[in-house]
Amino acid sequence: MSFTSQFNGEIIISFNEEDLVKNTFHSESNLKKTNHYYPDRPNIGYALIINNWEFKKKDHNRSKLDGQNLQRLFIEFGYKMYGSENHLQNLTKKEMEDKIKEFAKDSCHKNSRSAILFIASHGNGEGVETTDNRLLEYHEIKKIFGESKSLNMIAKLILFQACHGYQEDTGISTSAKVEDDSIPEALPKYCDMFVCYASYYGMKAYRCEKYGAFFIIVICAVFYKYASCKHIAELMPIVNDYIASKPFPKNSGDYKMTSTTESTLRTALFFK
């Protein structure tokens, strides 16, 4: 089937949809098979919980509850806690790096569908603070997970309970009537956003000389095919599945690309 994207009658993108999606989206049954991470594997996975609450300059005692609450939640879901301790506490930068690397390399993930890392600490826009008042940057943590062969091809969930900066948000008025309890009087400024990036932070995005940016081409194909039954948070993993599975050939070799998203949506966004 021919796929054409138009704006005010002008053809923006035109190509054969079958050539683009036949390997990944050729049938609903194939979509269902790729819609979950290894459903046949016996273990849902392991979770590593790191909770820093004792600092040289300031304590963060209430974060102890965060680790305990998530531990109970993950166990309820069937996750196994990683390590001999229930969860690790008050680590220096080196200790935290070493433990995350150990977790990422462990063969325990062989029969797992996913892995979870939770870190509770102080932090800023660049990373999380360690108990020796150093900073372990977010990109360093994600790099450890991203380069791990043991975690390859399984879902990796990373949760940070830490400040992402120092600014405080007083909200913005929604012009809601006081008597309307269904609408809050104010919402966070950065609420209700769903941000899509063509590539991962610091990485290049590629394009097809004939049809344009590959990210946009795939979005158009996937959205036209599935937007009638799926919301945005379901559509973008399908987009990324196709993008991540394809090589981008250049003179110096083949390269890979992954799209990324950030969401502050409060409910599902459907286009149809």
Side-chain angles (χ1 to χ4, degrees):
M1 182 176 68
S2 177
F3 169 80
T4 302
S5 176
Q6 298 188 23
F7 181 74
N8 289 339
E10 179 186 0
I11 296 178
I12 304 301
I13 301 172
S14 181
F15 58 94
N16 190 300
E17 183 193 37
E18 183 179 353
D19 292 338
L20 177 65
V21 300
K22 63 182 179 181
N23 293 325
T24 307
F25 314 122
H26 67 273
S27 68
E28 286 298 319
S29 60
N30 188 50
L31 175 64
K32 291 177 182 177
K33 290 179 183 178
T34 61
N35 204 27
H36 301 283
Y37 286 90
Y38 296 109
D40 297 329
R41 287 192 175 183
N43 303 323
I44 189 169
Y46 285 81
L48 172 62
I49 295 178
I50 299 175
N51 204 339
N52 291 338
W53 53 274
E54 283 186 351
F55 294 83
K56 293 180 180 179
K57 296 181 180 180
K58 50 194 172 184
D59 282 350
H60 199 44
N61 292 335
R62 285 174 293 181
S63 74
K64 287 187 287 187
L65 293 174
D66 299 328
Q68 294 167 2
N69 290 337
L70 275 182
Q71 180 180 321
R72 285 193 287 266
L73 176 68
F74 294 152
I75 290 175
E76 180 70 22
F77 287 165
Y79 283 90
K80 297 178 181 178
M81 294 298 106
Y82 183 78
S84 56
E85 303 92 346
N86 289 332
H87 54 267
L88 303 175
Q89 303 181 54
N90 303 320
L91 303 185
T92 64
K93 181 176 181 179
K94 185 178 187 308
E95 290 170 339
M96 191 181 294
E97 281 182 310
D98 289 346
K99 182 55 65 174
I100 295 172
K101 288 178 180 178
E102 175 190 313
F103 177 63
K105 293 178 181 179
D106 202 295
S107 60
C108 68
H109 305 295
K110 184 177 181 180
N111 294 314
S112 298
R113 303 194 295 273
S114 60
I116 295 177
L117 170 64
F118 171 70
I119 299 176
S121 186
H122 289 297
N124 58 34
E126 300 299 323
V128 293
E129 292 184 28
T130 57
T131 54
D132 52 348
N133 291 320
R134 299 175 67 190
L135 197 69
L136 181 56
E137 296 185 3
Y138 296 123
H139 76 86
E140 295 180 85
I141 297 170
K142 290 184 282 188
K143 184 178 180 182
I144 293 172
F145 266 42
E147 294 181 349
S148 166
K149 293 183 178 180
S150 296
L151 295 175
N152 189 32
M153 295 288 288
I154 71 172
K156 297 169 277 290
L157 175 61
I158 305 176
L159 304 172
F160 296 108
Q161 173 51 51
C163 290
H164 212 180
Y166 302 108
Q167 298 184 53
E168 293 184 294
D169 190 344
T170 57
I172 185 169
S173 175
T174 60
S175 301
K177 296 180 180 179
V178 175
E179 62 270 16
D180 189 349
D181 295 332
S182 65
I183 303 176
E185 293 185 28
L187 286 171
K189 295 177 182 177
Y190 301 104
C191 195
D192 299 315
M193 292 186 187
F194 193 95
V195 184
C196 304
Y197 300 92
S199 61
Y200 192 75
Y201 176 78
M203 308 302 291
K204 287 186 175 182
Y206 299 101
R207 63 172 47 248
C208 169
E209 290 186 9
K210 186 175 182 181
Y211 298 122
F214 197 67
F215 180 59
I216 303 303
I217 294 172
V218 178
I219 281 181
C220 290
V222 171
F223 279 34
Y224 268 101
K225 190 174 180 69
Y226 297 113
S228 61
C229 60
K230 296 183 182 296
H231 55 73
I232 184 69
E234 295 175 312
L235 292 168
M236 290 311 297
I238 301 175
V239 170
N240 195 43
D241 179 39
Y242 188 82
I243 291 174
S245 68
K246 297 300 177 184
F248 296 89
K250 297 183 69 176
N251 292 336
S252 54
D254 287 348
Y255 291 84
K256 303 292 288 184
M257 187 176 94
T258 182
S259 60
T260 58
T261 60
E262 297 174 355
S263 176
T264 59
L265 296 181
R266 292 177 297 123
T267 187
L269 170 62
F270 287 90
F271 293 103
K272 296 183 179 180

